[in-house]
Amino acid sequence: MPWTAAHKWDLAPKRVVILCSALFLFGLGDSLLITSGLGNAPWSVLAQGISKQLDISIGFATLAVSALVLTLWIPLRERPGFGTFANILIVASAIDVGMHFFPTQEIIWIRFTYVVVGIALVGMGTAFYLTCGLGPGPRDGWMTALHHRTGVRVGRVRLGIEVVVLTLGWFLGGTLGVGTALFALFIGQSVAISLGVVSRITPR
């Protein structure tokens, strides 16, 4: 893409704006899933569980979890980029903004609409974020680093991590439900469709 960075700290103004906007979209999508009450994305199940136990906002819990995961990069000798730190700050902030802005709903079809739109926003945000090339988010970077260090397939590493995260989050009181299942089933397709759309509308 025209805005793709040459390295993780290649901070052209246009690229930074695209990155920050993408991360904000990602966080808003996450907040819609949470607000739906039908089940969160895996890491948000954990963040919500922690927020309930410590009486803090889900956004702040997300920030704390992201920072903790980043420390797990150290023994794996993984190096963060600008996008890694931006991910921690912007996604967490956008979740709290979205949860304040989007009202909770009792009507079931509106709640399902929240889930569908949330998955679409996370997919679109991920597509733009990835094409910036400014470094992976804490979770993705940890996952790929474990893959490279252990030789275990990246899909199996991701599955193992998310099963642990979901279980712990559910135990702490996070919401696990049909929204979680829909997210797991369709987020990959959402990212793929979004990447396709981005590539088609981008001038060469």
Side-chain angles (χ1 to χ4, degrees):
M1 301 299 170
W3 58 79
T4 301
H7 56 80
K8 294 179 182 179
W9 292 90
D10 185 7
L11 304 182
K14 180 180 179 180
R15 185 174 302 118
V16 172
V17 169
I18 292 172
L19 173 81
C20 294
S21 300
L23 291 172
F24 197 78
L25 279 179
F26 187 110
L28 289 181
D30 239 348
S31 74
L32 277 170
L33 284 157
I34 297 166
T35 305
S36 77
L38 295 175
N40 309 334
W43 285 94
S44 293
V45 175
L46 177 60
Q48 187 180 44
I50 292 172
S51 75
K52 288 183 176 180
Q53 296 300 317
L54 300 181
D55 195 25
I56 58 177
S57 73
I58 296 179
F60 189 79
T62 299
L63 188 151
V65 169
S66 297
L68 177 61
V69 171
L70 187 60
T71 66
L72 300 177
W73 288 29
I74 297 172
L76 298 171
R77 299 178 183 177
E78 190 76 4
R79 294 184 177 181
F82 176 81
T84 309
F85 296 108
N87 183 297
I88 293 173
L89 296 173
I90 296 174
V91 171
S93 300
I95 288 173
D96 276 348
V97 169
M99 292 193 67
H100 178 74
F101 181 78
F102 299 119
T104 56
Q105 297 287 339
E106 296 297 327
I107 303 172
I108 192 64
W109 70 264
I110 297 180
R111 295 168 67 190
F112 271 104
T113 300
Y114 275 15
V115 171
V116 172
V117 175
I119 292 171
L121 288 179
V122 170
M124 182 61 71
T126 301
F128 277 100
Y129 171 68
L130 290 175
T131 55
C132 287
L134 291 174
R139 301 158 184 80
D140 288 337
W142 183 43
M143 175 185 67
T144 54
L146 285 172
H147 160 65
H148 292 311
R149 296 292 175 182
T150 64
V152 178
R153 291 181 182 179
V154 67
R156 292 180 180 177
V157 173
R158 177 168 184 160
L159 178 61
I161 290 173
E162 293 195 347
V163 166
V164 171
V165 166
L166 275 171
T167 303
L168 181 58
W170 176 76
F171 180 77
L172 292 173
T175 304
L176 182 64
V178 65
T180 311
L182 290 173
F183 184 89
L185 285 171
F186 294 111
I187 187 57
Q189 191 66 19
S190 178
V191 173
I193 291 171
S194 298
L195 284 170
V197 171
V198 170
S199 66
R200 286 180 176 83
I201 66 174
T202 303
R204 300 292 179 180

